[in-house]
Amino acid sequence: MTLAAHAASFHADRRALVSGVTLTVAPGELVALLGPNGAGKSTLLKLLAGDVAPSAGRVTLDEAPIGAIKSRHLARHRAVLRQDLALPFAFTAAEVVHMGRLPHRGTADERDDARIVSDALGLLDAGHLAHRLYPTLSGGEQQRVQLARALAQLWLPDHAARYLLLDEPTSNLDLVHQHQALTVARSFARERGIGVLVILHDVALAVRHADRLALLKGGRLIASGSVDQVIETTSLADCFEMDFRMADFGAAGRVPVAIPRASVTGS
Amino acid sequence: MSTAAPAAPATGNEQRPPPRPGAIAGRWSAPRTLLGLGVALMVVAIIAAGRGAVPIAPGDVLRTLLHGIGFGSDTDVPDSAQRVLWHLRFPRVALAIVAGAALAVSGAALQGLFRNPLADPTLIGVSFGAAAGAATMIVLGHHIALPAWFSRTWLLPAGAFTGGLLATGLAYLLSAVSRDRGVAALLLAGIAVNAAASALLGLYSHIADDAQLRNISFWNLGSLGAASPSTLGVVALIALPATLGLLKIAPQLNALALGEAAAQHLGVNVRRLKTISVILIAACVGAVTAVTGVIVFVGLVVPHALRFVLGPDHRWLMPAAAVGGAALVTLADLTARTLLAPAELPIGIVTAFIGVPFFAALLIHSGRRLGP
């Protein structure tokens, strides 16, 4: 049971945005996808979400080709948070989170909708925003509400595996809420057996919260493995064309710190 | 929407102290608003049925109506009044109700589909298409040979309905073959088709004689004067199921507010939703417009006004728009036929005159509350 890309490529206007990527996300693990701008991270996430069909290779959800899964069934088993957070109408935060329950409409789970909405908001420290109008929230508050919406979609156990795909869910968040969002995502993965793929820019954040790292550059997967495996190699430096030094914070763990190459003369 | 005013202060104030859980600042309770609008609609409808060349007391109107559906007795209502009610007034009020509900719900659905509170059913070409179709029949209709079973009075509505569907179909096809295939493409295609339909309309106006020209311009301002049991029947047969169909897609329209991709992630088949919405809206607006001509502003102002007070949840917004739209068109038609009696004003003029100030007031009021 995995969400997997098998040698998947995606071409647009004859340009390869993703080339031959093989990557799996298993239930219960958090995989951080890292890479410079234009590396194809969002395109790979779209492939795994089933938004676009691969130009070559395959994408499967629990061994079934993702394109063949009915959209409502798919929506009960995978949730996606993309970067577009704007809403044209003044829904309340609670109403936005409730939209995450749409795939479960008409099922027995629908009874729990109200509780799920308030629990999901509470989990992201956004309970007090429930009755605020979404357009009046700050960018960070909107992002937490949208993340709660994605969590609400996968809240209740299902007989099949579930996957959560997050495209830079921390881009608008302050430092505390960045860690909180990823802590929530990781406990969501562990406790509920949900496979989480998250695109991040902050390497330290990824190292601290992920089970595995996947590094993408120029549309190709240049490294993938456990956090310890990946940070012991030169992959991070190759990927970002920056040097990394490991900073040891004792109990708080070892965290790679990026150093611009121009300033590290003679290293 | 001014018909909602009597019910408004009551529902608005009752919510403040104490704020019950789930209450949103500045929003009215949806069930109470719906109820208030329903009561307002009934009052307006009964008054409207009583007013005209033969005045009939509201009590008599109510008794006749109740007897007609199997309650009470209408023996003390004069026969002449009963005939006027059943043959003229009830069909006209019922047509106003059907037209208002269909137009307002179509507007709400289209605004949801386009994710834009300023969208209007005109945007998918149906209104101007219908106008071009109607103008075709007004100017060229007398050249058309009709089978014996087809009454010439149906020629214009049939032409308008066909024109509306053709224009929307064309806009839809244009958007479907475009590379983007999204909702934005439909908007652009609708603009193109509208331009073509307006050009056609201009051409007909150019070649029309004076009487035809007057007919075209009158038709473009709308009127419920064509109401009769048979026209009502045909419009209701098409517009009511289509309106109910639109009410059913409310949850999907809510999800679409998150964006097309996010709605897709929530299991909404956006392309199918778009197709279904366009067909139902074209049926609603096409059927109504075919008989009444173009009634502007209802599809825009009613949902918009209700969104200010109820919030944007389509599951409440669309039913409220149905009742509110029905009340507005009934009131507008009452005004249109009694203001300068015995002359009749085109209803489009009245809806604009009622709608604009109310809309402006809401805009100013909401600017303070809703922020960006």
Side-chain angles (χ1 to χ4, degrees), chain B residues 13-119:
Chain B
N13 290 335
E14 275 159 26
Q15 266 201 18
R16 284 215 187 106
R20 59 176 173 80
I24 318 303
R27 280 201 194 167
W28 297 353
S29 139
R32 286 180 200 185
T33 307
L34 204 54
L35 196 70
L37 285 170
V39 171
L41 171 60
M42 276 192 280
V43 171
V44 171
I46 287 167
I47 293 173
R51 301 292 297 274
V54 181
I56 301 168
D60 286 353
V61 173
L62 202 57
R63 266 196 293 281
T64 308
L65 184 62
L66 286 176
H67 180 74
I69 55 174
F71 297 99
S73 149
D74 59 355
T75 42
D76 46 350
V77 181
D79 277 359
S80 59
Q82 290 193 27
R83 265 197 306 280
V84 167
L85 285 175
W86 286 111
H87 289 281
L88 299 172
R89 304 274 177 78
F90 285 161
R92 185 150 183 164
V93 170
L95 182 64
I97 290 172
V98 172
L103 292 175
V105 170
S106 297
L110 204 67
Q111 287 149 20
L113 185 68
F114 283 138
R115 306 180 67 224
N116 188 333
L118 294 176

Side-chain angles (χ1 to χ4, degrees), chain B residues 84-316:
Chain B
V84 167
L85 285 175
W86 286 111
H87 289 281
L88 299 172
R89 304 274 177 78
F90 285 161
R92 185 150 183 164
V93 170
L95 182 64
I97 290 172
V98 172
L103 292 175
V105 170
S106 297
L110 204 67
Q111 287 149 20
L113 185 68
F114 283 138
R115 306 180 67 224
N116 188 333
L118 294 176
D120 165 292
T122 321
L123 284 178
I124 54 167
V126 61
S127 310
F128 279 105
T136 308
M137 293 309 159
I138 290 170
V139 177
L140 304 177
H142 57 276
H143 294 304
I144 298 174
L146 292 173
W149 53 267
F150 194 93
S151 157
R152 195 156 280 277
T153 53
W154 286 100
L155 195 58
L156 199 157
F161 187 63
T162 313
L165 291 196
L166 274 179
T168 309
L170 193 62
Y172 182 82
L173 281 180
L174 258 175
S175 80
V177 298
S178 79
R179 262 191 76 181
D180 155 28
R181 287 198 274 191
V183 170
L186 179 59
L187 190 65
L188 292 174
I191 290 171
V193 169
N194 266 338
S198 320
L200 200 58
L201 205 56
L203 182 68
Y204 284 128
S205 305
H206 190 68
I207 61 172
D209 62 34
D210 282 355
Q212 291 169 342
L213 194 60
R214 197 175 149 72
N215 272 344
I216 292 175
S217 63
F218 196 76
W219 197 84
N220 278 327
L221 290 168
S223 165
L224 296 185
S228 72
S230 56
T231 52
L232 170 68
V234 173
V235 173
L237 206 64
I238 299 170
L240 283 186
T243 305
L244 291 177
L246 287 173
L247 295 181
K248 274 200 72 168
I249 59 168
Q252 280 87 344
L253 289 175
N254 281 347
L256 196 59
L258 293 167
E260 287 182 52
Q264 200 87 42
H265 294 144
L266 286 168
V268 177
N269 185 334
V270 174
R271 208 172 295 165
R272 205 177 65 197
L273 179 67
K274 187 179 88 164
T275 309
I276 290 172
S277 316
V278 168
I279 291 172
L280 294 178
I281 292 168
C284 275
V285 180
V288 169
T289 309
V291 171
T292 67
V294 181
I295 302 178
V296 291
F297 234 64
V298 176
L300 180 65
V301 79
V302 173
H304 209 105
L306 288 168
R307 209 177 277 113
F308 282 140
V309 296
L310 294 180
D313 186 341
H314 290 90
R315 289 170 305 173
W316 285 108

Side-chain angles (χ1 to χ4, degrees), chain A residues 13 51 71-72 75 78 80 82 86-92 95 98-100 102-103 105 131 133 135-136 146 149 153, chain B residues 22-24 27 111-112 115-117 179 251 254-255 257-258 261-262 264-269 307 312-313 315 370 372:
Chain A
D13 296 329
D51 293 355
S71 54
R72 185 157 187 216
R78 74 93 182 81
V80 184
R82 296 235 296 231
L87 227 66
F89 301 118
F91 285 97
T92 65
E95 286 172 335
H98 186 251
M99 290 174 193
L102 181 68
R105 225 173 136 257
H131 299 308
L133 298 178
T136 67
Q146 292 270 11
R149 193 255 303 161
Q153 192 177 343
Chain B
I24 318 303
R27 280 201 194 167
Q111 287 149 20
R115 306 180 67 224
N116 188 333
R179 262 191 76 181
N254 281 347
L258 293 167
Q264 200 87 42
H265 294 144
L266 286 168
V268 177
N269 185 334
R307 209 177 277 113
D313 186 341
R315 289 170 305 173
L370 290 182

Side-chain angles (χ1 to χ4, degrees), chain A residues 72-237:
Chain A
R72 185 157 187 216
H73 181 84
L74 188 59
R76 288 181 189 167
H77 299 100
R78 74 93 182 81
V80 184
L81 177 61
R82 296 235 296 231
Q83 295 190 57
D84 176 20
L85 301 173
L87 227 66
F89 301 118
F91 285 97
T92 65
E95 286 172 335
V96 172
V97 178
H98 186 251
M99 290 174 193
R101 300 299 301 161
L102 181 68
H104 308 278
R105 225 173 136 257
T107 69
D109 293 348
E110 199 180 1
R111 284 187 316 243
D112 299 317
D113 279 4
R115 181 182 56 80
I116 292 170
V117 167
S118 74
D119 287 357
L121 277 167
L123 204 54
L124 288 156
D125 193 18
H128 61 291
L129 304 176
H131 299 308
R132 292 267 308 277
L133 298 178
Y134 183 88
T136 67
L137 302 180
S138 76
E141 288 170 335
Q142 290 187 347
Q143 199 158 33
R144 273 145 61 205
V145 169
Q146 292 270 11
L147 183 54
R149 193 255 303 161
L151 298 184
Q153 192 177 343
L154 302 178
W155 199 264
L156 295 177
D158 192 277
H159 52 86
R162 291 166 293 156
Y163 303 93
L164 178 62
L165 306 173
L166 307 171
D167 192 346
E168 291 189 44
T170 57
S171 56
N172 294 317
L173 302 185
D174 60 49
L175 291 175
V176 171
H177 285 116
Q178 286 182 17
H179 281 282
Q180 186 209 31
L182 286 168
T183 306
V184 167
R186 189 180 205 180
S187 68
F188 216 69
R190 294 230 169 126
E191 290 160 18
R192 295 163 196 259
I194 290 172
V196 181
L197 180 82
V198 50
I199 294 177
L200 289 174
H201 275 301
D202 185 334
V203 177
L205 204 59
V207 165
R208 184 180 292 278
H209 293 283
D211 296 301
R212 291 199 297 129
L213 298 182
L215 304 186
L216 208 58
K217 189 183 185 187
R220 296 181 181 281
L221 194 68
I222 61 167
S224 149
S226 75
V227 171
D228 290 336
Q229 283 170 357
V230 172
I231 62 177
E232 292 309 326
T233 65
T234 59
S235 308
L236 276 175

